Amino acid sequence: MKIAILGTGAVGTTIATKLIELGHQVMIGSRSKTNEKAIEFVNKFDKNASNGTFEEAATFGEIIFNCVKGEFAIEALKQAGSGITNKILIDVSIPVDTKKGTPLSLIPELCNTNSLGEEIQKTFPNTKVVKTLNTMWSTLMIVPTMLQDGDHTNFICGNDEEAKNNVKSLLKEIGWKEQAIMDLGDITGSRGTEGLMPLWLRIWGATMGTFSIKVVN
């Protein structure tokens, strides 16, 4: 499958690495085709890795991962243009507020009664936005078995059921157990998963180790 990764940070490159290892063709997208991080990443692989602009990557991908920092995500997706139209967009980003230094809160306009996942869906109504993988450390996203043999919870939400099912299949290919994937319903579920970030940061500060969230009932 052809997959686009928008964003050259740790989350984007970590997910891209796993997908390339699984045999998918991956294009890393950034503002410029000459982005040094993207070029350096692509040069690590003999095949199935390329880079381009946000628009080139989105056009290339059958499925698109949004791994751009939350505060810049909408603008990056606008730069992707028609490349995201009628496609599945897996949104991993979180709207943390970095204006006051260490991000311990969310951007006010994108929490409580709204979320970044919802804002993306409203801005791009013809894109099938699916929120997932945004409640954990990047390496745990692609190696869920590094904790409790994968016995912890990965949340998913989105308006399009078929799109969610396709994403669930990809998550299982990555290594997630079906029983570990919890469907929270439509894209408003993003309010909950994004809202976990302030708690996540506090836990990380207290433990400085790898951890995850598990729903027990």
Side-chain angles (χ1 to χ4, degrees):
M1 182 185 297
K2 294 180 178 180
I3 300 177
I5 305 287
L6 306 185
T8 59
V11 173
T13 55
T14 299
I15 293 174
T17 298
K18 179 65 174 183
L19 294 171
I20 292 168
E21 290 174 353
L22 291 171
H24 297 287
Q25 298 177 54
V26 174
M27 181 180 285
I28 294 279
S30 53
R31 286 179 175 81
S32 169
K33 195 169 184 174
T34 58
N35 182 286
E36 292 182 2
K37 287 185 179 180
I39 293 171
E40 182 181 356
F41 174 80
V42 168
N43 287 339
K44 295 177 183 179
F45 302 92
D46 295 328
K47 60 179 182 178
N48 290 341
S50 59
N51 71 288
T53 63
F54 287 133
E55 184 175 16
E56 288 171 333
T59 301
F60 169 87
E62 299 168 71
I63 287 180
I64 303 160
F65 278 83
N66 172 41
C67 302
V68 178
K69 288 183 179 180
E71 58 193 314
F72 307 120
I74 297 290
E75 182 56 37
L77 292 170
K78 286 180 179 178
Q79 291 181 34
S82 61
I84 66 172
T85 302
N86 295 322
K87 292 183 182 177
I88 295 172
L89 177 75
I90 301 175
D91 180 35
V92 185
S93 60
I94 302 169
V96 291
D97 192 346
T98 61
K99 293 179 181 178
K100 298 180 181 179
T102 304
L104 293 176
S105 61
L106 301 176
I107 296 171
E109 297 80 9
L110 296 173
C111 62
N112 297 324
T113 58
N114 194 16
S115 64
L116 180 58
E118 290 173 86
E119 195 67 23
I120 292 172
Q121 186 63 84
K122 285 183 286 187
T123 306
F124 308 98
N126 294 321
T127 299
K128 302 167 186 177
V129 182
V130 177
K131 192 90 180 187
T132 192
L133 294 174
N134 67 305
T135 58
M136 65 200 73
W137 180 47
S138 58
T139 301
L140 194 56
M141 295 176 185
I142 64 161
V143 191
T145 54
M146 71 184 298
L147 275 183
Q148 300 295 313
D149 193 33
D151 186 20
H152 47 96
T153 306
N154 178 26
F155 304 100
I156 188 171
C157 61
N159 294 345
D160 189 293
E161 292 299 322
E162 183 179 359
K164 281 195 293 186
N165 287 333
N166 287 335
V167 174
K168 288 175 186 177
S169 294
L170 183 58
L171 290 172
K172 286 186 278 188
E173 184 182 352
I174 289 170
W176 283 93
K177 298 176 181 178
E178 185 169 2
Q179 61 269 29
I181 303 170
M182 177 172 282
D183 193 331
L184 299 180
D186 66 26
I187 196 62
T188 60
S190 296
R191 299 180 194 183
T193 62
E194 292 174 14
L196 287 172
M197 178 50 62
L199 173 63
W200 191 97
L201 288 167
R202 296 289 183 177
I203 296 173
W204 183 79
T207 63
M208 299 299 287
T210 302
F211 66 92
S212 188
I213 294 169
K214 179 180 177 180
V215 176
V216 180
N217 56 17

